[in-house]
Amino acid sequence: MSVGIDIGTTTTSLVLSRLQIDNIAAGFVVPKIKIIGRKIIYRSPVYFTPLLDIDVIDFDKLVGIVRSEYEKALVKAEEVRTGAIIITGETAKKKNAEMVARALSSLAGTFVVAIAGPHLEAYLAGIGSGAAHFSRDRNKTICNIDIGGGTTNAAIFVNGKLKSTFCANIGSRVIKFKEYSQEVVSWTEIGWAVCEDLGISIKQGIYLSIFDIRRIAKRLASALLNIIVGESDPIAAKAAIGELPRDGVKADSFMFSGGVGRLFYDVNNSLDSELLKYGDLGPFLANELRLLLVNFPLDVIKPYETIYATVIGAGVHTTELSGSTIFYTSSDILPLVNVPVVTLDSLFDDIESIKKELVGKFFTFTTVEGHSILAIAIPKGVVRRFEDLNKIATAIALAYKSIGVRIPVVILCEDDIGKAMGVVLKDILGSGWNIVVVDEISLGEGDYVDIGKPLYGGAVIPVVMKTLVFQHK
């Protein structure tokens, strides 16, 4: 039994899955555990994320939601063996976000917990929506645009692999209203900028006309579409989180996910009675996007998931022992828990290309707390000679030095080269760096790994592999 919980800017939702696993290794060889079946058995209603005030998550209400949904699903907490809690969007910036994530994770099992920065959220939503799967299945370039309450997070996949992300502070709650009312409750910096751009006066308690609300939504929608086609837009520039694509987005097809994504594909949200239902711009923004897209030559398709895209139906835990040729500079930094795994497509290329791609991965996986510790997966057959190993180790060392933060260097080698890789890395990096290299471990990007304290006199290291399972059609 697995649970996925997504606590977003506007909404919170929960998904329960049943995973079937089996040892697929034949005979008496080392066990290889794999997921052979998965089934989502329960989806919660979508709740508004409970807040005590603008800066604090209401932890007690969140716990109440989770416990209530377990009861509705006829599932006991002790039955849930694994799962993921992801805090995203503006909610990730709340004062008690980390405490909430860790406290919720103690309800049952061992959870993958991430307070996701916008670029990591873009990646997760792109996998959860099915964009990565669709891209790989159809051999296409797919851009998934996840529009939530606080941010728009887009991920571009080429043949199933993440190529790039871009994010902007464009969302349904840049202006918040009283539920079923046009009375303004709050706004963000971008909400204010849009109103200023349109000459609309905004202050707390004021009632905006439906006409003006539509104008605001249209301006946000046009800013987003101008990002996609590469047109200059002052609102888009103000809303940008990091760098926006300079020449627009080149993709075969586009998908919309998130709360606004669901409304985009739901034509019934254009009814007047539905427009103010959520106390935000969501239905207006979805409608204006749909209307404006008539004039844009973009192929828009429906994803497998919209509002549940970032809910991860997570993980199977498998444990292996990596031994005999492992390398670590100090056992004091262990255990390492919930380390995201990344892969590098450029491993056969030159040193500069490998370094550049790895630095890009650091950028993608940055959380609100800063650079994450990453586990770099080196697949089987990449290192055939010492020259290959030295090139990869040099590129990795240069990438770590360039980011300016001495975080532990974690390498997962599928081949039996752990000790050699560690020795070369240590020699290039010099003193003061923590390095852990384990081998004969096969993991892919999007997986997470726990690396435990060394056992048997330091000869082996326990490794817990957490494969995140995303629901597809």
Side-chain angles (χ1 to χ4, degrees), residues 187-470:
W187 57 86
T188 66
E189 187 179 335
I190 293 304
W192 176 270
V194 171
C195 288
E196 191 176 47
D197 183 66
L198 297 172
I200 297 172
S201 176
I202 186 171
K203 59 184 178 180
Q204 197 168 28
I206 197 172
Y207 284 76
L208 293 181
S209 68
I210 293 292
F211 176 73
D212 279 343
I213 295 173
R214 283 200 174 101
R215 288 174 65 207
I216 293 166
K218 184 176 182 178
R219 186 66 188 87
L220 287 167
S222 66
L224 175 56
L225 291 174
N226 283 335
I227 293 172
I228 294 171
V229 298
E231 292 290 333
S232 176
D233 189 304
I235 294 298
K238 287 180 181 178
I241 303 172
E243 213 173 300
L244 296 176
R246 291 181 182 178
D247 302 317
V249 180
K250 305 296 187 293
D252 297 307
S253 299
F254 293 79
M255 294 177 172
F256 292 97
S257 64
V260 177
R262 182 178 71 169
L263 294 169
F264 176 86
Y265 297 101
D266 179 10
V267 292
N268 291 325
N269 76 60
S270 60
L271 299 173
D272 287 345
S273 60
E274 292 289 309
L275 291 176
L276 299 167
K277 179 178 179 180
Y278 304 107
D280 61 26
L281 296 168
F284 297 92
L285 182 53
N287 290 338
E288 295 302 328
L289 267 173
R290 195 163 50 242
L291 291 170
L292 286 175
L293 274 165
V294 172
N295 301 316
F296 286 81
L298 304 177
D299 179 45
V300 177
I301 57 179
K302 190 173 182 179
Y304 302 142
E305 295 285 353
T306 53
I307 199 165
Y308 288 98
T310 320
V311 176
I312 305 171
V316 56
H317 293 225
T318 62
T319 302
E320 292 185 8
L321 290 177
S322 178
S324 72
T325 61
I326 57 173
F327 180 92
Y328 54 92
T329 51
S330 171
S331 62
D332 292 341
I333 64 165
L334 300 174
L336 294 171
V337 181
N338 295 326
V339 181
V341 178
V342 298
T343 57
L344 301 175
D345 293 329
S346 57
L347 289 174
F348 288 104
D349 299 333
D350 59 275
I351 289 173
E352 187 58 33
S353 297
I354 301 170
K355 173 196 165 185
K356 184 177 178 181
E357 186 183 359
L358 181 53
V359 170
K361 298 287 184 179
F362 278 118
F363 174 69
T364 298
F365 282 83
T366 296
T367 71
V368 293
E369 299 167 334
H371 285 303
S372 293
I373 298 173
L374 300 181
I376 304 163
I378 310 295
K380 197 174 187 64
V382 171
V383 176
R384 298 188 180 93
R385 306 164 299 166
F386 176 77
E387 286 80 4
D388 299 329
L389 188 149
N390 189 61
K391 177 186 73 174
I392 293 169
T394 301
I396 290 172
L398 290 173
Y400 273 85
K401 285 183 176 181
S402 71
I403 64 171
V405 182
R406 288 204 175 194
I407 54 177
V409 181
V410 181
I411 312 291
L412 308 175
C413 303
E414 194 167 351
D415 284 318
D416 189 13
I417 56 171
K419 190 170 287 292
M421 177 65 75
V423 169
V424 174
L425 262 174
K426 185 175 184 297
D427 184 57
I428 298 170
L429 282 169
S431 61
W433 287 84
N434 286 310
I435 302 167
V436 180
V437 187
V438 295
D439 53 21
E440 297 184 281
I441 297 294
S442 178
L443 281 167
E445 189 152 306
D447 294 340
Y448 284 73
V449 64
D450 293 351
I451 302 175
K453 286 276 189 185
L455 304 173
Y456 301 108
V460 295
I461 289 180
V463 179
V464 178
M465 301 184 293
K466 303 173 182 178
T467 299
L468 302 185
V469 182
F470 298 89

Side-chain angles (χ1 to χ4, degrees), residues 21-81:
I21 64 173
D22 196 13
N23 178 12
I24 62 170
F28 297 99
V29 299
V30 176
K32 184 175 179 62
I33 308 299
K34 189 173 182 180
I35 301 165
I36 61 171
R38 59 184 178 231
K39 183 180 181 182
I40 286 187
I41 61 169
Y42 181 78
R43 293 171 185 248
S44 78
V46 177
Y47 293 89
F48 285 120
T49 299
L51 301 174
L52 288 173
D53 59 44
I54 198 168
D55 292 318
V56 181
I57 301 166
D58 191 331
F59 174 68
D60 291 335
K61 280 191 178 178
L62 265 180
V63 170
I65 288 171
V66 174
R67 293 195 186 282
S68 171
E69 291 306 315
Y70 276 20
E71 288 175 11
K72 290 177 187 176
L74 303 178
V75 170
K76 295 179 181 178
E78 56 267 25
E79 293 179 76
V80 180
R81 302 302 179 90

Side-chain angles (χ1 to χ4, degrees), residues 97-163:
E98 183 176 2
M99 181 279 288
V100 167
R102 301 201 183 284
L104 277 178
S105 72
S106 66
L107 282 175
T110 303
F111 291 91
V112 177
V113 179
I115 300 178
H119 294 275
L120 177 55
E121 186 181 351
Y123 170 69
L124 293 174
I127 296 178
S129 71
H133 175 81
F134 190 92
S135 169
R136 181 175 61 251
D137 191 49
R138 304 292 177 87
N139 198 28
K140 298 277 190 181
T141 298
I142 305 295
C143 176
N144 185 76
I145 302 170
D146 190 80
I147 310 173
T151 57
T152 292
N153 306 306
I156 298 97
F157 295 88
V158 179
N159 300 332
K161 293 188 176 181
L162 180 69
K163 178 185 178 184

